[in-house]
Amino acid sequence: MAKGNHKRVRGKPQIHSLLEHYQPIDGVVDEMVDASGNPRPVWKHFVEALEELGAEKLGQRFARADQYLRDAGVYYRVYDKAGANEREWPLAHVPVLIEESEWAAISAGLVQRAELFEETVADIYGPNRLVEKGILPAGLIAASPEYLRPVVGTRPAGGHFLHFCAFELGRGPDGQWWVLGDRTQAPSGAGFALENRVATTRALSDIYGEMHVHRLASFFRRFRDALIGMAKETDGRVAILTPGPLNETYYEHAYIARYLGIMLLEGEDLTVSGGRLMVRTVSGLMPISVLWRRLDAAFADPLELRADSQIGTPGLVEAIRQGAVATVNALGSGLMETRALLAFLPKISRALRGEELLLPSVATWWCGQASERAHVLANIDRMVIGPALSTRLAFEDDDQTKLGSVLSVGERAELVARIERDGGAFVGQEAVTLSTTPVYVGGWLEPRPASLRVYLARTPDGWTVMPGGFARVGLSLDPTAIAMQRGGQAADVWVVSDKPVERETLLPQEGDSFTRTRPGSLPSRAAENLTWLGRYIERSEDTVRILRAYHVRLAETSDPDMPLLADIRDYLEPFGIDVETAIPSGLIGTLDSAVYSAGQIRDRFSPDGWLALKDLSKTIHQFATTVAPGDDATRAMTVILRKLAGFSGLLHENMYRFAGWRFLEIGRRLERGIQIARTLSRLTSAKAPDGALDMMLEIGDSVMTHRRQYPVQAGRRTVIDLLALDPLNPRSILFQLERLKAEIGLLPSLGGEGHMSPAAKEILQLNTQIAIKEPSDMTAKALDELAYEIGGLYNSLAKAYFG
């Protein structure tokens, strides 16, 4: 489009066209415009709608999408020299549009490829005829770290090796789509594709509504139903196996688990018992029969695979051999990602299926064969040379992958010598120039290189293709900048029809049968983290209440040496709370621990709850550098208390009243009982300074209640009666014990029906003892002992449910 071309769209004048400076690159296909700079048919309405909005409104809308992603806590983890860091999800706001007919052709090619991969993996781990006939080099297969000898000869439960695959596609200068790489190990990104769709439609909801864009929900519904169907056949459960929160795509693991209603487990949650894979839950061991693994196969079982794995489950391989569990995908299937195998796929397809590939791979030559090695060396200037056994794409692996055309004379000579010396370690691949797609930069649209990642899932009716997926888009025209770890962006992909499309969701259709998930399937690790989350939040609140009471009095007297303030300093010091700092590091550490515990169970957390917790953490970290002791700190503590109450309220009101909520509640009540007992012991002792009783009522949030309940001035007996022995005061110790008795009594019985657990017996005994006490019985020593006994309840719970 010519520069300076001001035009009117739908009768509205524009200051400038978004395409004014859009310059397609010579010799490169652009997804949005043709060689003349005119929008392609599938883009025409979309471009007109963007033009009508104009740069200012578009900027506001895209900011709305970014805000959604921040609020939802969408992130990925980057590993660099500084270590592991969480980065906000880098959304490229403009989606990639593809016509339905073109997508149908892509889908057909990928379904064929998935079927070919299934047959190839089955042969490699079975009869091995491809090697026997010389179609696949035995040395290449044997050398791959993805070839797992312990599973050779194992037929997977359910009969299939592959259930969920992804393929990286790029469009070349001739307009042809090429497969750049295959993902059969543990494909990532499907959950991010959903978040891309939500964020993009938040910004462009009206445009999305006007266009016939295929929805994504049906893809996930069909795959979820397929997994559940597989589990029902063996009376087991479906779970997603994650390496844990430090994995770069852990957010997606938790998101998918929450979206599909599937348990998210780590290796330590599982054990093999009686030949079956079992999950440790608060109701005992329960069978898992379908495991969607999101960790590399080599780490899955330290007994038979990588002995140094800290994230696997000992005995998993044997359970697979016995057919007791089906894995998505089968262990060893990551072999199909090996870069050198791309050179053999056309021959494999002809041998196994009698077909040519509908979607060709990027041209690849394995240098372990003389003629192929000679071809690579003769054409090295237009080749990308990389490690043969790599499972990464060429543009993801730029540390080891070299573009022949940019090598110096010395570098080329060294590389040639290495290939001649050890050709089997290298592949040569045609250097593919990727097509470009528009990105929004500072009020303009600009072209950037892009690749598509497309997902396929196996269902009882065969492979289904996600109608979209996500595109990886470069920050610059450098194709290596597409990789997420190198600063690339992710865009939504819209498959556009010329007629209305079905609006499918994950919700059951009218008339569909359903069953409630069986209770008692809360993993023990999740229960432990929920308990500690409750404890950390309550501990934070207690600390904040004490600090606010301290700083109120400091602001009034400006004398930090007054006896009451000195006594509070001495009381808090053993707990790592230094009141000379307005926001003590000990308080920040407690709240950070709450965030950590919540991060371990992201799949069980609502987005609102997570947002509230992160906002609380952000606030307290900001206050740490801006708040001064005294009146300033008092106001800061009030803000923190309000946000703590908001977070606790969200959890209390929104969580389903079953095991997870119960352990969270138990954690809160344990900690509140401990903290109130400790503080009462200190501030109601005979040695307590003047003003201690009033401070205790303030800390216990019971000043108004005391005035209503007792027609006398606060005294030791009335304060203890209200904050220790009143069963109706939600801040009293007895109230906490009553709640603990009720919740612990409802926990699953591990000793059989009718048998009380040790924790249930302990809390019943403790509750009864305190219920009959008089205020005069509650000496400082008795209160300290009571705090210790309440703390001991946790040990009994941990022994019974968290082991």
Side-chain angles (χ1 to χ4, degrees):
M1 188 167 291
K3 296 182 180 180
N5 179 22
H6 301 278
K7 68 175 191 175
R8 182 180 296 272
V9 180
R10 297 186 186 178
K12 295 186 178 181
Q14 302 295 300
I15 298 175
H16 69 260
S17 166
L18 294 169
L19 297 180
E20 228 172 285
H21 298 291
Y22 198 83
Q23 296 292 331
I25 302 168
D26 290 341
V28 175
V29 172
D30 188 86
E31 298 296 329
M32 182 176 68
V33 299
D34 59 24
S36 302
N38 297 313
R40 300 182 187 277
V42 70
W43 285 83
K44 190 173 185 301
H45 175 77
F46 182 84
V47 171
E48 289 176 349
L50 292 189
E51 293 277 35
E52 182 178 7
L53 286 170
E56 183 177 354
K57 286 186 178 180
L58 268 185
Q60 294 170 354
R61 288 187 175 214
F62 292 155
R64 187 188 308 163
D66 292 338
Q67 187 62 51
Y68 161 76
L69 293 170
R70 284 193 293 270
D71 290 348
V74 184
Y75 74 93
Y76 71 109
R77 196 175 297 277
V78 173
Y79 297 94
D80 52 28
K81 294 180 180 179
N85 300 292
E86 290 184 7
R87 298 271 180 88
E88 292 183 357
W89 186 246
L91 178 69
H93 304 95
V94 180
V96 178
L97 275 56
I98 299 179
E99 288 182 349
E100 183 181 51
S101 58
E102 184 174 23
W103 192 258
I106 290 173
S107 298
L110 294 182
V111 168
Q112 180 204 44
R113 195 177 187 92
E115 291 287 4
L116 175 63
F117 279 19
E118 172 70 30
E119 294 182 32
T120 304
V121 176
D123 178 78
I124 290 173
Y125 288 99
N128 223 359
R129 292 192 182 96
L130 291 171
V131 170
E132 181 184 343
K133 294 177 180 180
I135 297 172
L136 270 178
L140 177 63
I141 300 300
S144 172
E146 299 301 333
Y147 178 64
L148 304 182
R149 288 175 178 80
V151 296
V152 171
T154 300
R155 187 69 185 173
H160 295 293
F161 287 83
L162 299 177
H163 304 83
F164 194 86
C165 303
F167 300 97
E168 201 83 22
L169 307 182
R171 195 199 294 269
D174 60 354
Q176 169 75 48
W177 287 102
W178 297 81
V179 179
L180 306 176
D182 309 289
R183 291 288 174 258
T184 55
Q185 174 76 266
S188 64
F192 289 125
L194 280 169
E195 287 287 36
N196 286 345
R197 176 60 55 89
V198 174
T200 302
T201 53
R202 287 281 180 97
L204 304 173
S205 57
D206 48 351
I207 303 175
Y208 181 79
E210 293 169 355
M211 302 180 71
H212 305 311
V213 181
H214 283 270
R215 269 56 176 177
L216 304 181
S218 61
F219 172 83
F220 290 96
R221 179 170 61 80
R222 293 187 181 106
F223 187 50
R224 178 199 61 187
D225 292 347
L227 294 176
I228 293 173
M230 291 167 61
K232 285 181 178 178
E233 294 174 2
T234 52
D235 191 33
R237 290 161 178 76
V238 181
I240 296 175
L241 178 62
T242 174
L246 293 181
N247 183 262
E248 63 185 30
T249 57
Y250 175 74
Y251 171 85
E252 184 210 359
H253 305 170
Y255 179 86
I256 286 288
R258 186 170 63 240
Y259 184 72
L260 299 183
I262 296 174
M263 282 193 292
L264 183 66
L265 304 177
E266 296 181 29
E268 66 182 272
D269 295 324
L270 297 166
T271 187
V272 176
S273 177
R276 293 204 68 179
L277 184 66
M278 313 291 279
V279 57
R280 298 181 177 93
T281 79
V282 296
S283 296
L285 297 179
M286 293 190 173
I288 296 291
S289 56
V290 179
L291 195 64
W292 184 0
R293 63 177 181 85
R294 297 299 304 271
L295 80 169
D296 288 353
F299 293 91
D301 185 346
L303 282 183
E304 299 203 46
L305 301 173
R306 284 191 57 157
D308 61 343
S309 172
Q310 301 293 315
I311 56 177
T313 303
L316 177 59
V317 169
E318 181 59 28
I320 291 171
R321 284 198 197 101
Q322 299 299 324
V325 60
T327 56
V328 179
N329 293 323
L331 299 183
S333 57
L335 178 67
M336 296 308 299
E337 297 184 1
T338 305
R339 198 182 297 180
L341 284 184
L342 292 173
F344 301 94
L345 285 181
K347 189 183 295 185
I348 293 173
S349 182
R350 288 191 290 270
L352 292 181
R353 300 178 61 83
E355 299 172 347
E356 297 296 330
L357 292 174
L358 297 177
L359 270 182
S361 307
V362 59
T364 304
W365 295 266
W366 180 51
C367 296
Q369 298 167 304
S371 60
E372 284 76 5
R373 180 168 60 251
H375 176 79
V376 169
L377 292 176
N379 296 277
I380 197 168
D381 283 346
R382 56 187 184 88
M383 291 278 183
V384 175
I385 310 297
L389 300 180
S390 175
T391 58
R392 304 179 69 183
L393 304 185
F395 59 73
E396 294 177 330
D397 204 21
D398 61 354
D399 289 338
Q400 300 182 58
T401 300
K402 307 298 181 183
L403 183 60
S405 61
V406 300
L407 295 175
S408 67
V409 173
E411 289 171 334
R412 182 179 305 175
E414 180 184 353
L415 182 57
V416 167
R418 291 175 62 195
I419 293 173
E420 290 176 336
R421 183 173 61 250
D422 186 17
F426 295 92
V427 291
Q429 292 183 295
E430 183 179 354
V432 176
T433 302
L434 297 174
S435 63
T436 56
T437 193
V439 297
Y440 184 79
V441 182
W444 307 94
L445 293 179
E446 297 182 4
R448 293 289 186 271
S451 67
L452 300 183
R453 179 170 290 187
V454 186
Y455 299 91
L456 279 73
R458 185 184 294 281
T459 73
D461 299 322
W463 291 99
T464 182
V465 181
M466 183 192 292
F470 79 78
R472 297 200 286 178
V473 184
L475 278 175
S476 68
L477 293 176
D478 177 6
T480 65
I482 289 178
M484 303 298 291
Q485 291 286 331
R486 292 180 171 85
Q489 303 174 89
D492 192 12
V493 178
W494 291 5
V495 176
V496 182
S497 175
D498 57 3
K499 55 185 180 297
V501 298
E502 189 173 355
R503 295 175 177 267
E504 295 192 66
T505 71
L506 282 186
L507 297 175
Q509 304 301 307
E510 190 66 32
D512 285 357
S513 61
F514 68 91
T515 57
R516 285 181 178 163
T517 301
R518 282 170 290 180
S521 58
L522 178 70
S524 297
R525 182 181 54 83
E528 184 176 16
N529 278 293
L530 283 163
T531 304
W532 275 106
L533 174 62
R535 293 194 66 172
Y536 286 133
I537 289 298
E538 195 62 40
R539 188 177 299 176
S540 298
E541 180 178 339
D542 178 77
T543 303
V544 169
R545 289 186 179 279
I546 294 175
L547 289 172
R548 185 173 68 168
Y550 175 90
H551 286 288
V552 164
R553 285 155 180 79
L554 180 63
E556 290 173 350
T557 65
S558 299
D559 181 11
D561 295 324
M562 69 176 291
L564 180 58
L565 298 186
D567 192 61
I568 290 296
R569 282 200 303 276
D570 292 342
Y571 171 65
L572 291 176
E573 185 178 4
F575 303 113
I577 306 298
D578 179 9
V579 296
E580 294 184 4
T581 303
I583 308 295
S585 59
L587 173 59
I588 296 173
T590 301
L591 204 49
D592 286 345
S593 295
V595 174
Y596 175 82
S597 292
Q600 303 294 308
I601 45 175
R602 282 293 298 272
D603 58 310
R604 298 180 179 272
F605 241 75
S606 73
D608 286 340
W610 181 255
L611 174 61
L613 183 59
K614 292 294 284 186
D615 179 59
L616 176 59
S617 176
K618 180 180 177 181
T619 298
I620 201 166
H621 279 275
Q622 287 177 339
F623 282 168
T625 59
T626 59
V627 172
D631 188 58
D632 200 20
T634 301
R635 289 194 296 270
M637 295 302 165
T638 300
V639 172
I640 295 170
L641 270 180
R642 188 166 62 243
K643 294 196 173 189
L644 277 165
F647 174 70
S648 298
L650 273 171
L651 296 185
H652 185 79
E653 293 300 323
N654 293 348
M655 282 189 72
Y656 186 70
R657 293 301 196 268
F658 201 67
W661 178 85
R662 194 152 287 133
F663 279 99
L664 181 72
E665 180 73 356
I666 287 170
R668 291 182 61 213
R669 299 305 173 182
L670 280 173
E671 194 66 30
R672 184 174 292 184
I674 293 169
Q675 298 299 335
I676 289 292
R678 284 175 176 169
T679 314
L680 265 176
S681 171
R682 184 76 175 209
L683 295 181
T684 63
S685 72
K687 299 178 181 178
D690 290 343
L693 294 177
D694 289 333
M695 178 181 271
M696 185 67 239
L697 289 173
E698 186 178 327
I699 292 169
D701 198 21
S702 297
V703 173
M704 296 300 296
T705 305
H706 186 276
R707 290 175 185 171
R708 287 195 301 268
Q709 295 291 97
Y710 306 95
V712 295
Q713 192 172 12
R716 183 180 185 277
R717 294 178 60 196
T718 60
V719 171
I720 288 179
D721 185 60
L722 180 60
L723 287 174
L725 305 176
D726 191 333
L728 300 180
N729 182 8
R731 292 283 168 181
S732 77
I733 299 172
L734 184 57
F735 186 92
Q736 314 315 313
L737 297 179
E738 293 279 5
R739 294 303 307 150
L740 285 168
K741 182 181 72 171
E743 300 304 338
I744 292 175
L746 291 172
L747 292 177
S749 176
L750 300 179
E753 293 300 325
H755 292 272
M756 292 181 69
S757 68
K761 291 177 182 177
E762 287 179 38
I763 185 57
L764 178 60
Q765 184 178 28
L766 188 56
N767 182 72
T768 303
Q769 290 175 356
I770 301 305
I772 62 175
K773 295 287 187 183
E774 295 294 332
S776 57
D777 299 325
M778 305 304 290
T779 63
K781 180 180 178 181
L783 286 165
D784 284 336
E785 290 175 351
L786 179 56
Y788 179 81
E789 290 182 83
I790 296 173
L793 287 171
Y794 175 81
N795 297 328
S796 297
L797 288 167
K799 184 177 180 180
Y801 297 105
F802 306 154

